[in-house]
Amino acid sequence: MIIFWDSLFLFHDLFKKTAKHVGQVYGFPFPEEECKRALEFLKHVKDLPQDAKSIF
């Protein structure tokens, strides 16, 4: 299961870098706060107990 989470967090980092670059090229602002909240959500879900019945 570790590999899954490592891959997901790596994807998040790559997406962020790519989105920032594309935004700079085309003049779009990068939504830093939304990106931060998405990462916090991923970490929250990762840390849930295996027998969790809901995410909140």
Side-chain angles (χ1 to χ4, degrees), residues 4-22:
F4 168 79
W5 287 108
D6 291 344
S7 299
L8 189 58
F9 289 116
L10 178 61
F11 171 77
H12 179 273
D13 291 343
L14 291 172
F15 181 84
K16 180 179 178 180
K17 289 177 186 175
T18 303
K20 282 185 170 188
H21 174 73
V22 170

Side-chain angles (χ1 to χ4, degrees), residues 12-40:
H12 179 273
D13 291 343
L14 291 172
F15 181 84
K16 180 179 178 180
K17 289 177 186 175
T18 303
K20 282 185 170 188
H21 174 73
V22 170
Q24 287 176 345
V25 169
Y26 291 102
F28 295 108
F30 182 77
E32 287 286 350
E33 190 57 36
E34 288 180 35
C35 185
K36 180 181 172 186
R37 287 194 310 260
L39 183 58
E40 288 171 359

